[in-house]
PDB file of all heavy atoms in Angstrom:
ATOM      1  N   LEU A   1     -21.806  12.902  42.552  1.00 98.00           N
ATOM      2  CA  LEU A   1     -21.550  13.782  43.689  1.00 98.00           C
ATOM      3  C   LEU A   1     -22.661  14.815  43.844  1.00 98.00           C
ATOM      4  O   LEU A   1     -23.140  15.072  44.961  1.00 98.00           O
ATOM      5  CB  LEU A   1     -20.206  14.485  43.521  1.00 98.00           C
ATOM      6  CG  LEU A   1     -19.832  15.492  44.619  1.00 98.00           C
ATOM      7  CD1 LEU A   1     -19.824  14.826  45.988  1.00 98.00           C
ATOM      8  CD2 LEU A   1     -18.484  16.136  44.317  1.00 98.00           C
ATOM      9  N   SER A   2     -23.093  15.414  42.745  1.00 98.00           N
ATOM     10  CA  SER A   2     -24.148  16.422  42.794  1.00 98.00           C
ATOM     11  C   SER A   2     -25.441  15.845  43.372  1.00 98.00           C
ATOM     12  O   SER A   2     -26.091  16.465  44.219  1.00 98.00           O
ATOM     13  CB  SER A   2     -24.411  16.979  41.397  1.00 98.00           C
ATOM     14  OG  SER A   2     -25.463  17.917  41.410  1.00 98.00           O
ATOM     15  N   ASP A   3     -25.800  14.639  42.931  1.00 98.00           N
ATOM     16  CA  ASP A   3     -27.009  13.985  43.438  1.00 98.00           C
ATOM     17  C   ASP A   3     -26.899  13.732  44.939  1.00 98.00           C
ATOM     18  O   ASP A   3     -27.871  13.916  45.684  1.00 98.00           O
ATOM     19  CB  ASP A   3     -27.249  12.664  42.703  1.00 98.00           C
ATOM     20  CG  ASP A   3     -27.690  12.872  41.264  1.00 98.00           C
ATOM     21  OD1 ASP A   3     -28.071  14.003  40.909  1.00 98.00           O
ATOM     22  OD2 ASP A   3     -27.644  11.898  40.487  1.00 98.00           O
ATOM     23  N   PHE A   4     -25.725  13.320  45.374  1.00 98.00           N
ATOM     24  CA  PHE A   4     -25.519  13.042  46.799  1.00 98.00           C
ATOM     25  C   PHE A   4     -25.629  14.320  47.624  1.00 98.00           C
ATOM     26  O   PHE A   4     -26.275  14.339  48.680  1.00 98.00           O
ATOM     27  CB  PHE A   4     -24.156  12.386  47.013  1.00 98.00           C
ATOM     28  CG  PHE A   4     -23.802  12.182  48.457  1.00 98.00           C
ATOM     29  CD1 PHE A   4     -24.340  11.135  49.179  1.00 98.00           C
ATOM     30  CD2 PHE A   4     -22.939  13.063  49.105  1.00 98.00           C
ATOM     31  CE1 PHE A   4     -24.030  10.955  50.522  1.00 98.00           C
ATOM     32  CE2 PHE A   4     -22.623  12.891  50.441  1.00 98.00           C
ATOM     33  CZ  PHE A   4     -23.177  11.829  51.153  1.00 98.00           C
ATOM     34  N   LEU A   5     -25.000  15.383  47.155  1.00 98.00           N
ATOM     35  CA  LEU A   5     -25.036  16.647  47.900  1.00 98.00           C
ATOM     36  C   LEU A   5     -26.456  17.205  47.982  1.00 98.00           C
ATOM     37  O   LEU A   5     -26.886  17.698  49.027  1.00 98.00           O
ATOM     38  CB  LEU A   5     -24.101  17.660  47.249  1.00 98.00           C
ATOM     39  CG  LEU A   5     -22.593  17.332  47.302  1.00 98.00           C
ATOM     40  CD1 LEU A   5     -21.797  18.363  46.532  1.00 98.00           C
ATOM     41  CD2 LEU A   5     -22.105  17.233  48.746  1.00 98.00           C
ATOM     42  N   LYS A   6     -27.202  17.117  46.874  1.00 97.00           N
ATOM     43  CA  LYS A   6     -28.583  17.595  46.872  1.00 97.00           C
ATOM     44  C   LYS A   6     -29.438  16.787  47.845  1.00 97.00           C
ATOM     45  O   LYS A   6     -30.270  17.348  48.571  1.00 97.00           O
ATOM     46  CB  LYS A   6     -29.165  17.498  45.465  1.00 97.00           C
ATOM     47  CG  LYS A   6     -28.616  18.529  44.498  1.00 97.00           C
ATOM     48  CD  LYS A   6     -29.212  18.338  43.106  1.00 97.00           C
ATOM     49  CE  LYS A   6     -28.615  19.332  42.117  1.00 97.00           C
ATOM     50  NZ  LYS A   6     -29.142  19.107  40.742  1.00 97.00           N
ATOM     51  N   LYS A   7     -29.228  15.478  47.855  1.00 97.00           N
ATOM     52  CA  LYS A   7     -29.990  14.609  48.744  1.00 97.00           C
ATOM     53  C   LYS A   7     -29.757  14.976  50.204  1.00 97.00           C
ATOM     54  O   LYS A   7     -30.664  14.849  51.040  1.00 97.00           O
ATOM     55  CB  LYS A   7     -29.596  13.154  48.492  1.00 97.00           C
ATOM     56  CG  LYS A   7     -30.332  12.145  49.353  1.00 97.00           C
ATOM     57  CD  LYS A   7     -29.882  10.739  49.029  1.00 97.00           C
ATOM     58  CE  LYS A   7     -30.571   9.712  49.930  1.00 97.00           C
ATOM     59  NZ  LYS A   7     -30.123   8.325  49.642  1.00 97.00           N
ATOM     60  N   ASN A   8     -28.537  15.440  50.507  1.00 97.00           N
ATOM     61  CA  ASN A   8     -28.190  15.772  51.884  1.00 97.00           C
ATOM     62  C   ASN A   8     -28.222  17.280  52.163  1.00 97.00           C
ATOM     63  O   ASN A   8     -27.730  17.724  53.205  1.00 97.00           O
ATOM     64  CB  ASN A   8     -26.802  15.209  52.214  1.00 97.00           C
ATOM     65  CG  ASN A   8     -26.806  13.699  52.332  1.00 97.00           C
ATOM     66  OD1 ASN A   8     -27.126  13.146  53.378  1.00 97.00           O
ATOM     67  ND2 ASN A   8     -26.469  13.015  51.230  1.00 97.00           N
ATOM     68  N   ALA A   9     -28.783  18.032  51.208  1.00 97.00           N
ATOM     69  CA  ALA A   9     -28.964  19.492  51.378  1.00 97.00           C
ATOM     70  C   ALA A   9     -27.656  20.201  51.710  1.00 97.00           C
ATOM     71  O   ALA A   9     -27.599  21.059  52.587  1.00 97.00           O
ATOM     72  CB  ALA A   9     -30.014  19.764  52.447  1.00 97.00           C
ATOM     73  N   ILE A  10     -26.621  19.838  50.987  1.00 97.00           N
ATOM     74  CA  ILE A  10     -25.315  20.465  51.191  1.00 97.00           C
ATOM     75  C   ILE A  10     -24.931  21.216  49.921  1.00 97.00           C
ATOM     76  O   ILE A  10     -24.944  20.655  48.826  1.00 97.00           O
ATOM     77  CB  ILE A  10     -24.236  19.411  51.523  1.00 97.00           C
ATOM     78  CG1 ILE A  10     -24.550  18.751  52.865  1.00 97.00           C
ATOM     79  CG2 ILE A  10     -22.845  20.039  51.555  1.00 97.00           C
ATOM     80  CD1 ILE A  10     -23.656  17.591  53.185  1.00 97.00           C
ATOM     81  N   LYS A  11     -24.582  22.481  50.061  1.00 97.00           N
ATOM     82  CA  LYS A  11     -24.139  23.282  48.933  1.00 97.00           C
ATOM     83  C   LYS A  11     -22.622  23.365  48.937  1.00 97.00           C
ATOM     84  O   LYS A  11     -22.018  23.852  49.898  1.00 97.00           O
ATOM     85  CB  LYS A  11     -24.751  24.681  48.997  1.00 97.00           C
ATOM     86  CG  LYS A  11     -26.257  24.692  48.799  1.00 97.00           C
ATOM     87  CD  LYS A  11     -26.799  26.110  48.793  1.00 97.00           C
ATOM     88  CE  LYS A  11     -28.309  26.122  48.551  1.00 97.00           C
ATOM     89  NZ  LYS A  11     -28.847  27.515  48.527  1.00 97.00           N
ATOM     90  N   ALA A  12     -22.024  22.860  47.865  1.00 97.00           N
ATOM     91  CA  ALA A  12     -20.566  22.879  47.730  1.00 97.00           C
ATOM     92  C   ALA A  12     -20.222  23.166  46.282  1.00 97.00           C
ATOM     93  O   ALA A  12     -21.055  23.018  45.380  1.00 97.00           O
ATOM     94  CB  ALA A  12     -19.968  21.547  48.178  1.00 97.00           C
ATOM     95  N   ASP A  13     -18.992  23.571  46.043  1.00 97.00           N
ATOM     96  CA  ASP A  13     -18.509  23.880  44.698  1.00 97.00           C
ATOM     97  C   ASP A  13     -17.839  22.635  44.129  1.00 97.00           C
ATOM     98  O   ASP A  13     -16.830  22.162  44.656  1.00 97.00           O
ATOM     99  CB  ASP A  13     -17.516  25.043  44.778  1.00 97.00           C
ATOM    100  CG  ASP A  13     -17.002  25.440  43.402  1.00 97.00           C
ATOM    101  OD1 ASP A  13     -17.581  24.992  42.394  1.00 97.00           O
ATOM    102  OD2 ASP A  13     -15.999  26.189  43.347  1.00 97.00           O
ATOM    103  N   ILE A  14     -18.415  22.093  43.040  1.00 97.00           N
ATOM    104  CA  ILE A  14     -17.860  20.894  42.417  1.00 97.00           C
ATOM    105  C   ILE A  14     -16.897  21.305  41.311  1.00 97.00           C
ATOM    106  O   ILE A  14     -17.273  22.004  40.368  1.00 97.00           O
ATOM    107  CB  ILE A  14     -18.970  19.995  41.847  1.00 97.00           C
ATOM    108  CG1 ILE A  14     -19.889  19.523  42.979  1.00 97.00           C
ATOM    109  CG2 ILE A  14     -18.370  18.802  41.109  1.00 97.00           C
ATOM    110  CD1 ILE A  14     -21.084  18.707  42.499  1.00 97.00           C
ATOM    111  N   HIS A  15     -15.645  20.863  41.437  1.00 96.00           N
ATOM    112  CA  HIS A  15     -14.611  21.175  40.455  1.00 96.00           C
ATOM    113  C   HIS A  15     -14.290  19.895  39.688  1.00 96.00           C
ATOM    114  O   HIS A  15     -13.762  18.941  40.251  1.00 96.00           O
ATOM    115  CB  HIS A  15     -13.361  21.707  41.156  1.00 96.00           C
ATOM    116  CG  HIS A  15     -12.318  22.231  40.215  1.00 96.00           C
ATOM    117  ND1 HIS A  15     -12.386  23.494  39.657  1.00 96.00           N
ATOM    118  CD2 HIS A  15     -11.192  21.666  39.725  1.00 96.00           C
ATOM    119  CE1 HIS A  15     -11.347  23.682  38.868  1.00 96.00           C
ATOM    120  NE2 HIS A  15     -10.605  22.587  38.895  1.00 96.00           N
ATOM    121  N   VAL A  16     -14.615  19.859  38.385  1.00 96.00           N
ATOM    122  CA  VAL A  16     -14.459  18.640  37.588  1.00 96.00           C
ATOM    123  C   VAL A  16     -13.022  18.503  37.079  1.00 96.00           C
ATOM    124  O   VAL A  16     -12.479  19.408  36.444  1.00 96.00           O
ATOM    125  CB  VAL A  16     -15.437  18.630  36.397  1.00 96.00           C
ATOM    126  CG1 VAL A  16     -15.268  17.344  35.588  1.00 96.00           C
ATOM    127  CG2 VAL A  16     -16.874  18.771  36.884  1.00 96.00           C
ATOM    128  N   ILE A  17     -12.429  17.345  37.363  1.00 93.00           N
ATOM    129  CA  ILE A  17     -11.071  17.017  36.919  1.00 93.00           C
ATOM    130  C   ILE A  17     -11.123  15.658  36.239  1.00 93.00           C
ATOM    131  O   ILE A  17     -11.748  14.727  36.739  1.00 93.00           O
ATOM    132  CB  ILE A  17     -10.080  16.967  38.104  1.00 93.00           C
ATOM    133  CG1 ILE A  17     -10.005  18.331  38.781  1.00 93.00           C
ATOM    134  CG2 ILE A  17      -8.708  16.524  37.654  1.00 93.00           C
ATOM    135  CD1 ILE A  17      -9.069  18.358  39.985  1.00 93.00           C
ATOM    136  N   SER A  18     -10.457  15.514  35.102  1.00 87.00           N
ATOM    137  CA  SER A  18     -10.518  14.262  34.348  1.00 87.00           C
ATOM    138  C   SER A  18      -9.542  13.200  34.853  1.00 87.00           C
ATOM    139  O   SER A  18      -9.697  12.018  34.580  1.00 87.00           O
ATOM    140  CB  SER A  18     -10.257  14.519  32.860  1.00 87.00           C
ATOM    141  OG  SER A  18      -8.988  15.112  32.678  1.00 87.00           O
ATOM    142  N   GLY A  19      -8.534  13.605  35.591  1.00 82.00           N
ATOM    143  CA  GLY A  19      -7.563  12.627  36.081  1.00 82.00           C
ATOM    144  C   GLY A  19      -6.747  13.177  37.234  1.00 82.00           C
ATOM    145  O   GLY A  19      -6.726  14.389  37.477  1.00 82.00           O
ATOM    146  N   SER A  20      -6.062  12.279  37.973  1.00 89.00           N
ATOM    147  CA  SER A  20      -5.212  12.666  39.110  1.00 89.00           C
ATOM    148  C   SER A  20      -5.962  13.554  40.104  1.00 89.00           C
ATOM    149  O   SER A  20      -5.443  14.570  40.573  1.00 89.00           O
ATOM    150  CB  SER A  20      -3.950  13.381  38.619  1.00 89.00           C
ATOM    151  OG  SER A  20      -3.201  12.538  37.771  1.00 89.00           O
ATOM    152  N   VAL A  21      -7.163  13.161  40.427  1.00 95.00           N
ATOM    153  CA  VAL A  21      -7.998  13.923  41.352  1.00 95.00           C
ATOM    154  C   VAL A  21      -7.346  14.051  42.718  1.00 95.00           C
ATOM    155  O   VAL A  21      -7.456  15.081  43.390  1.00 95.00           O
ATOM    156  CB  VAL A  21      -9.395  13.252  41.483  1.00 95.00           C
ATOM    157  CG1 VAL A  21     -10.232  13.946  42.546  1.00 95.00           C
ATOM    158  CG2 VAL A  21     -10.113  13.272  40.141  1.00 95.00           C
ATOM    159  N   GLU A  22      -6.638  13.017  43.121  1.00 94.00           N
ATOM    160  CA  GLU A  22      -6.100  12.967  44.487  1.00 94.00           C
ATOM    161  C   GLU A  22      -5.076  14.057  44.808  1.00 94.00           C
ATOM    162  O   GLU A  22      -4.815  14.345  45.982  1.00 94.00           O
ATOM    163  CB  GLU A  22      -5.474  11.587  44.759  1.00 94.00           C
ATOM    164  CG  GLU A  22      -4.250  11.257  43.929  1.00 94.00           C
ATOM    165  CD  GLU A  22      -4.580  10.732  42.537  1.00 94.00           C
ATOM    166  OE1 GLU A  22      -5.777  10.557  42.224  1.00 94.00           O
ATOM    167  OE2 GLU A  22      -3.632  10.504  41.757  1.00 94.00           O
ATOM    168  N   ILE A  23      -4.502  14.681  43.778  1.00 94.00           N
ATOM    169  CA  ILE A  23      -3.493  15.714  44.045  1.00 94.00           C
ATOM    170  C   ILE A  23      -4.110  17.096  44.283  1.00 94.00           C
ATOM    171  O   ILE A  23      -3.422  18.023  44.700  1.00 94.00           O
ATOM    172  CB  ILE A  23      -2.462  15.809  42.901  1.00 94.00           C
ATOM    173  CG1 ILE A  23      -3.115  16.383  41.628  1.00 94.00           C
ATOM    174  CG2 ILE A  23      -1.813  14.465  42.628  1.00 94.00           C
ATOM    175  CD1 ILE A  23      -2.108  16.718  40.533  1.00 94.00           C
ATOM    176  N   ALA A  24      -5.422  17.231  44.013  1.00 95.00           N
ATOM    177  CA  ALA A  24      -6.076  18.540  44.064  1.00 95.00           C
ATOM    178  C   ALA A  24      -5.925  19.261  45.401  1.00 95.00           C
ATOM    179  O   ALA A  24      -5.570  20.448  45.430  1.00 95.00           O
ATOM    180  CB  ALA A  24      -7.548  18.419  43.668  1.00 95.00           C
ATOM    181  N   PRO A  25      -6.172  18.611  46.538  1.00 95.00           N
ATOM    182  CA  PRO A  25      -6.015  19.338  47.812  1.00 95.00           C
ATOM    183  C   PRO A  25      -4.572  19.760  48.070  1.00 95.00           C
ATOM    184  O   PRO A  25      -4.325  20.845  48.610  1.00 95.00           O
ATOM    185  CB  PRO A  25      -6.487  18.318  48.853  1.00 95.00           C
ATOM    186  CG  PRO A  25      -7.415  17.422  48.107  1.00 95.00           C
ATOM    187  CD  PRO A  25      -6.791  17.289  46.754  1.00 95.00           C
ATOM    188  N   GLY A  26      -3.630  18.935  47.678  1.00 93.00           N
ATOM    189  CA  GLY A  26      -2.222  19.219  47.932  1.00 93.00           C
ATOM    190  C   GLY A  26      -1.691  20.424  47.188  1.00 93.00           C
ATOM    191  O   GLY A  26      -0.747  21.078  47.654  1.00 93.00           O
ATOM    192  N   ILE A  27      -2.281  20.745  46.049  1.00 93.00           N
ATOM    193  CA  ILE A  27      -1.813  21.901  45.261  1.00 93.00           C
ATOM    194  C   ILE A  27      -2.755  23.095  45.413  1.00 93.00           C
ATOM    195  O   ILE A  27      -2.639  24.076  44.678  1.00 93.00           O
ATOM    196  CB  ILE A  27      -1.649  21.527  43.769  1.00 93.00           C
ATOM    197  CG1 ILE A  27      -2.989  21.089  43.158  1.00 93.00           C
ATOM    198  CG2 ILE A  27      -0.591  20.440  43.605  1.00 93.00           C
ATOM    199  CD1 ILE A  27      -2.902  20.836  41.653  1.00 93.00           C
ATOM    200  N   GLY A  28      -3.690  22.991  46.332  1.00 94.00           N
ATOM    201  CA  GLY A  28      -4.587  24.108  46.605  1.00 94.00           C
ATOM    202  C   GLY A  28      -5.731  24.264  45.635  1.00 94.00           C
ATOM    203  O   GLY A  28      -6.396  25.300  45.618  1.00 94.00           O
ATOM    204  N   LEU A  29      -5.988  23.232  44.818  1.00 94.00           N
ATOM    205  CA  LEU A  29      -7.053  23.323  43.828  1.00 94.00           C
ATOM    206  C   LEU A  29      -8.430  23.023  44.430  1.00 94.00           C
ATOM    207  O   LEU A  29      -9.459  23.460  43.910  1.00 94.00           O
ATOM    208  CB  LEU A  29      -6.768  22.350  42.675  1.00 94.00           C
ATOM    209  CG  LEU A  29      -7.612  22.462  41.417  1.00 94.00           C
ATOM    210  CD1 LEU A  29      -7.456  23.848  40.784  1.00 94.00           C
ATOM    211  CD2 LEU A  29      -7.214  21.382  40.414  1.00 94.00           C
ATOM    212  N   ALA A  30      -8.450  22.277  45.518  1.00 97.00           N
ATOM    213  CA  ALA A  30      -9.721  21.900  46.145  1.00 97.00           C
ATOM    214  C   ALA A  30      -9.507  21.628  47.623  1.00 97.00           C
ATOM    215  O   ALA A  30      -8.380  21.387  48.075  1.00 97.00           O
ATOM    216  CB  ALA A  30     -10.313  20.675  45.449  1.00 97.00           C
ATOM    217  N   ASP A  31     -10.600  21.638  48.373  1.00 97.00           N
ATOM    218  CA  ASP A  31     -10.539  21.323  49.803  1.00 97.00           C
ATOM    219  C   ASP A  31     -10.663  19.824  50.051  1.00 97.00           C
ATOM    220  O   ASP A  31     -10.213  19.314  51.088  1.00 97.00           O
ATOM    221  CB  ASP A  31     -11.678  22.030  50.548  1.00 97.00           C
ATOM    222  CG  ASP A  31     -11.626  23.540  50.360  1.00 97.00           C
ATOM    223  OD1 ASP A  31     -10.611  24.136  50.760  1.00 97.00           O
ATOM    224  OD2 ASP A  31     -12.591  24.105  49.807  1.00 97.00           O
ATOM    225  N   ALA A  32     -11.315  19.128  49.113  1.00 98.00           N
ATOM    226  CA  ALA A  32     -11.582  17.701  49.280  1.00 98.00           C
ATOM    227  C   ALA A  32     -11.704  17.064  47.897  1.00 98.00           C
ATOM    228  O   ALA A  32     -11.728  17.757  46.876  1.00 98.00           O
ATOM    229  CB  ALA A  32     -12.864  17.499  50.079  1.00 98.00           C
ATOM    230  N   ILE A  33     -11.789  15.732  47.877  1.00 98.00           N
ATOM    231  CA  ILE A  33     -11.980  15.035  46.609  1.00 98.00           C
ATOM    232  C   ILE A  33     -13.101  14.014  46.740  1.00 98.00           C
ATOM    233  O   ILE A  33     -13.432  13.566  47.840  1.00 98.00           O
ATOM    234  CB  ILE A  33     -10.700  14.325  46.123  1.00 98.00           C
ATOM    235  CG1 ILE A  33     -10.370  13.121  47.037  1.00 98.00           C
ATOM    236  CG2 ILE A  33      -9.529  15.287  46.038  1.00 98.00           C
ATOM    237  CD1 ILE A  33      -9.317  12.184  46.459  1.00 98.00           C
ATOM    238  N   PHE A  34     -13.678  13.655  45.615  1.00 98.00           N
ATOM    239  CA  PHE A  34     -14.643  12.562  45.526  1.00 98.00           C
ATOM    240  C   PHE A  34     -14.151  11.664  44.406  1.00 98.00           C
ATOM    241  O   PHE A  34     -14.137  12.059  43.240  1.00 98.00           O
ATOM    242  CB  PHE A  34     -16.040  13.101  45.223  1.00 98.00           C
ATOM    243  CG  PHE A  34     -17.066  12.020  45.001  1.00 98.00           C
ATOM    244  CD1 PHE A  34     -17.393  11.146  46.019  1.00 98.00           C
ATOM    245  CD2 PHE A  34     -17.704  11.890  43.778  1.00 98.00           C
ATOM    246  CE1 PHE A  34     -18.339  10.153  45.819  1.00 98.00           C
ATOM    247  CE2 PHE A  34     -18.652  10.907  43.574  1.00 98.00           C
ATOM    248  CZ  PHE A  34     -18.971  10.032  44.602  1.00 98.00           C
ATOM    249  N   ASP A  35     -13.722  10.447  44.750  1.00 97.00           N
ATOM    250  CA  ASP A  35     -13.054   9.622  43.747  1.00 97.00           C
ATOM    251  C   ASP A  35     -13.194   8.137  44.083  1.00 97.00           C
ATOM    252  O   ASP A  35     -13.688   7.765  45.150  1.00 97.00           O
ATOM    253  CB  ASP A  35     -11.572   9.997  43.663  1.00 97.00           C
ATOM    254  CG  ASP A  35     -10.935   9.603  42.340  1.00 97.00           C
ATOM    255  OD1 ASP A  35     -11.679   9.335  41.378  1.00 97.00           O
ATOM    256  OD2 ASP A  35      -9.695   9.555  42.271  1.00 97.00           O
ATOM    257  N   ILE A  36     -12.726   7.318  43.143  1.00 95.00           N
ATOM    258  CA  ILE A  36     -12.713   5.865  43.332  1.00 95.00           C
ATOM    259  C   ILE A  36     -11.664   5.496  44.379  1.00 95.00           C
ATOM    260  O   ILE A  36     -10.553   6.023  44.373  1.00 95.00           O
ATOM    261  CB  ILE A  36     -12.388   5.156  42.006  1.00 95.00           C
ATOM    262  CG1 ILE A  36     -13.567   5.271  41.034  1.00 95.00           C
ATOM    263  CG2 ILE A  36     -12.060   3.689  42.234  1.00 95.00           C
ATOM    264  CD1 ILE A  36     -13.292   4.675  39.679  1.00 95.00           C
TER     265      ILE A  36
END
């Protein structure tokens, strides 16, 4: 994700989660997800 954001000149806050990434926006932990 970091490489992709740098390539596209986008500054964002990357929040690392080891599992269940998809629930992050629903509980207010993140605005978006990057996942499989």
Side-chain angles (χ1 to χ4, degrees):
L1 177 57
S2 178
D3 289 346
F4 175 78
L5 294 176
K6 288 178 183 177
K7 180 180 178 181
N8 289 276
I10 295 172
K11 293 183 178 181
D13 181 13
I14 298 176
H15 188 81
V16 181
I17 298 179
S18 59
S20 300
V21 174
E22 65 278 357
I23 69 171
I27 61 175
L29 191 60
D31 302 299
I33 69 167
F34 175 63
D35 202 17
I36 289 176

